[in-house]
Amino acid sequence: MASDLRTTYDNVCTHARETAVLNSIESLLSWDEQVLLPAEGAEYRAEQARLMAGLGHARETDLHYGAALGELAASSWAADRQSDSGATIYHLKRRYDKRTRLPQRLVEALAEATVLAQQTWQRARKQNDFAMFAPHLDQVLRLKREEAQALCTGGPLYDALLDDYEPLAKSAEVGRVLADLRAELVPLVAQIAEARQRPDERVLAGSFAVAAQEALGRKAAATIGFDFQRGRLDVSAHPFCSTVGPRDCRLTTRYREHDFGDAFFSTLHETGHGLYEQGLPAEHYGLPLGEAVSLGIHESQSRMWENLVGRGLPFWEFFYPQLQAAFPAFRETPLDAFYGAANRVQPSLIRTESDEATYNLHICVRFELEQALLVDELRVGDLPGAWQERYRDVVGAVSTTDADGVLQDVHWAAGLLGYFPTYTLGNLYAAQFFEQAIADLGDLPALLRRGETGGLLGWLRDKIHRHGKRYSAAELVQRVTGRPLSHAALMNHLRSKLGPLYGF
């Protein structure tokens, strides 16, 4: 009997790994679509995506595969959910049960619709024309609503989609977390707005050659540990990180000649994602133990390297001379002035350009709007107006164009409803993990001042990356930090950093 179960388990793992190969081809098509695809290639790429999604879905819902998973789930091999076999069986069975609730027709239609929607979004954003994009968004929403209805087993429809990105999370709990954080963020932002002492944000403005920005970004990514023998950095309309295989991780960024910070910090952000992907056990690729816990945990890695390290003074005490060498305009700028500008707080229109203090207010807006869109309480045609209203009330900034407003993110075009809350969860996880890393590593700031980022990366590899999905996000946070997730660490970080910069 034991040998039979071993054979069944091995067969299940083989099937999952082969499905991962198929899905990796789909990932490569998606990467190519956003980086290299010519404008006229969108329709055929949509057909390719439709076919690949259907093939992948057929494998993931194979009846013999499901029967084998059911047998394993009822056996001693699944008794300990944190063991290798237990974690593998639990997550593969959970994924199978979800996928079998989705008709292949819907999976294929979504794959096709989101390719066309993303290509249209790019054109609509460039032309500042929401009306061009609206029919595609309406179709994507209709399909995502159908998906949520198929997946929902009780509770809000939104929970069914949120679960794809933050397994086991509920919108009510996420809403409470956002509300608690917002209650402390708003007074902090107001206090900063009234402060007389302010960093000079003009320090980051100027003329910065794209080639020099790219070279410096690559140097920074390598400095914090990204392996370019197993990855690459390219350009896309919206920065992202995509893994095509166990040794093929792809980052993208975007460059603005008159804004140094946009590309540099975006590159650090995506590098953080890439470090997580490169730290997952390659021998488990295609299986849950070779996958990230959740997108919230994934985001904690990117936000940690972007903000807690990359906007921290210790990092720049090491890296600032390299910036000055790349851009002579900074040679007359004191480090303190640069550091202040990199951490200025100012309500802004663009989420990806926002500061640490106001960033999560951008997420609050999207969280509210996409829930309303999903249940048809908010119509697509009314979205630009609702966006402006919520930005005025929550963020304190009002967009005058669609490009700087409702068209600034690619997520809804890509069908990623339920994704946005993971950004704020990532900020909370990042601050709590970083606080623990300082306690465990001793004088982490001193290491960063010397450019020794390996200590922190090694800590993350040991505490987070190597475990894959062995633990849930809640279990991992408790295991690593000894306490459940809280907004306290993030607020402590913001107050301790911003207080001296704004004179309070």
Side-chain angles (χ1 to χ4, degrees):
M1 183 65 177
S3 61
D4 290 343
L5 285 174
R6 161 56 72 182
T7 300
T8 300
Y9 180 76
D10 289 345
N11 289 341
V12 159
C13 289
T14 297
H15 185 94
R17 289 180 189 274
E18 290 175 349
T19 303
V21 174
L22 191 63
N23 291 339
S24 73
I25 299 171
E26 191 174 3
S27 295
L28 183 59
L29 286 173
S30 177
W31 174 86
D32 177 81
E33 172 199 336
Q34 297 178 69
V35 176
L36 297 173
L37 185 70
E40 295 298 319
E43 289 191 14
Y44 194 67
R45 178 54 46 87
E47 290 187 34
Q48 293 171 322
R50 181 187 186 98
L51 177 62
M52 293 302 298
L55 292 172
H57 185 72
R59 283 192 60 85
E60 289 181 324
T61 58
D62 179 83
L63 293 177
H64 295 294
Y65 175 62
L69 281 171
E71 180 184 358
L72 290 169
S75 75
S76 60
W77 283 61
D80 179 2
R81 196 175 68 76
Q82 294 180 351
S83 68
D84 284 9
S85 63
T88 299
I89 294 165
Y90 170 80
H91 287 288
L92 291 181
K93 179 70 161 58
R94 191 170 190 269
R95 185 181 305 167
Y96 175 83
D97 290 343
K98 288 181 65 174
R99 299 298 288 176
T100 53
R101 293 201 289 272
L102 297 176
Q104 184 159 323
R105 166 197 56 79
L106 175 59
V107 173
E108 292 175 347
L110 263 169
E112 182 176 35
T114 52
V115 169
L116 296 175
Q118 288 177 85
Q119 293 299 309
T120 304
W121 166 80
Q122 289 193 42
R123 296 195 302 275
R125 189 181 184 205
K126 287 180 181 178
Q127 298 176 34
N128 186 35
D129 186 355
F130 179 75
M132 177 192 298
F133 173 60
H136 289 274
L137 178 57
D138 198 56
Q139 182 185 20
V140 170
L141 283 169
R142 178 179 58 78
L143 294 170
K144 293 300 290 187
R145 197 174 294 123
E146 184 180 350
E147 178 185 359
Q149 290 167 344
L151 292 173
C152 188
T153 56
L157 282 182
Y158 188 84
D159 288 359
L161 303 182
L162 176 63
D163 188 79
D164 279 345
Y165 311 110
E166 200 66 18
L168 306 177
K170 303 298 179 186
S171 55
E173 177 63 16
V174 170
R176 183 194 64 76
V177 169
L178 284 172
D180 289 348
L181 180 59
R182 181 177 167 185
E184 293 197 38
L185 276 177
V186 171
L188 176 63
V189 173
Q191 185 178 11
I192 290 171
E194 295 170 0
R196 293 186 177 182
Q197 177 180 314
R198 311 186 67 78
D200 184 356
E201 62 184 70
R202 294 173 299 177
V203 168
L204 295 182
S207 181
F208 308 102
V210 168
Q213 288 191 58
E214 181 182 4
L216 190 70
R218 289 179 62 89
K219 182 179 290 186
T223 294
I224 66 175
F226 188 74
D227 183 355
F228 279 98
Q229 295 301 308
R230 296 188 293 148
R232 54 183 293 129
L233 175 64
D234 293 279
V235 177
S236 65
H238 193 101
F240 68 95
C241 168
S242 178
T243 294
V244 178
R247 293 174 179 82
D248 185 355
C249 179
R250 314 225 174 161
L251 315 179
T252 72
T253 192
R254 62 188 178 203
Y255 299 99
R256 295 184 179 178
E257 188 176 346
H258 300 291
D259 184 352
F260 161 77
D262 187 34
F264 186 84
F265 292 111
S266 139
T267 299
L268 282 185
H269 180 98
E270 300 307 333
T271 300
H273 283 304
L275 291 175
Y276 190 5
E277 290 293 317
Q278 291 186 339
L280 292 167
E283 66 272 19
H284 290 299
Y285 185 79
L287 300 175
L289 291 179
E291 298 172 351
V293 181
S294 72
L295 279 182
I297 297 296
H298 221 309
E299 189 66 15
S300 77
Q301 305 304 283
S302 60
R303 298 296 279 181
M304 183 183 296
W305 288 104
E306 176 193 0
N307 289 330
L308 296 162
V309 175
R311 293 184 196 269
L313 187 57
F315 173 80
W316 284 107
E317 287 176 334
F318 166 75
F319 203 74
Y320 197 53
Q322 299 180 62
L323 172 62
Q324 291 175 311
F327 299 106
F330 285 118
R331 290 175 187 168
E332 303 303 319
T333 303
L335 173 57
D336 287 349
F338 173 85
Y339 170 70
N343 288 285
R344 90 303 181 234
V345 174
Q346 178 65 47
S348 63
L349 297 174
I350 308 299
R351 173 186 64 86
T352 56
E353 298 172 12
S354 63
D355 55 82
E356 287 185 87
T358 62
Y359 181 92
N360 295 299
L361 300 179
H362 292 256
I363 302 305
C364 290
V365 170
R366 289 155 175 77
F367 180 60
E368 293 176 14
L369 291 178
E370 68 179 12
Q371 289 182 88
L373 285 168
L374 182 65
V375 297
D376 213 19
E377 288 179 359
L378 175 63
R379 299 297 179 90
V380 168
D382 298 326
L383 180 57
W387 181 283
Q388 290 192 2
E389 178 183 343
R390 298 309 294 148
Y391 254 69
R392 182 192 65 227
D393 296 344
V394 177
V395 181
V398 179
S399 60
T400 57
T401 68
D402 290 336
D404 286 342
V406 70
L407 286 174
Q408 67 178 268
D409 292 311
V410 71
H411 300 63
W412 291 339
L416 303 179
L417 276 82
Y419 190 118
F420 277 118
T422 67
Y423 287 123
T424 288
L425 292 175
N427 285 330
L428 298 173
Y429 292 137
Q432 198 158 319
F433 286 145
F434 196 70
E435 192 174 77
Q436 189 64 45
I438 291 173
D440 290 351
L441 294 173
D443 198 350
L444 178 56
L447 294 175
L448 297 176
R449 286 187 193 99
R450 297 193 297 269
E452 297 175 9
T453 60
L456 176 59
L457 181 57
W459 186 90
L460 294 169
R461 293 273 198 255
D462 179 61
K463 301 293 185 180
I464 299 170
H465 303 176
R466 71 183 177 92
H467 297 298
K469 282 185 179 291
R470 189 181 305 276
Y471 309 107
S472 69
E475 290 168 342
L476 186 66
V477 172
Q478 183 71 46
R479 177 184 175 89
V480 173
T481 70
R483 58 194 189 279
L485 181 65
S486 164
H487 64 282
L490 179 58
M491 292 307 304
N492 289 340
H493 160 72
L494 291 175
R495 291 190 181 106
S496 64
K497 172 189 280 188
L498 299 175
L501 290 175
Y502 285 88
F504 61 82

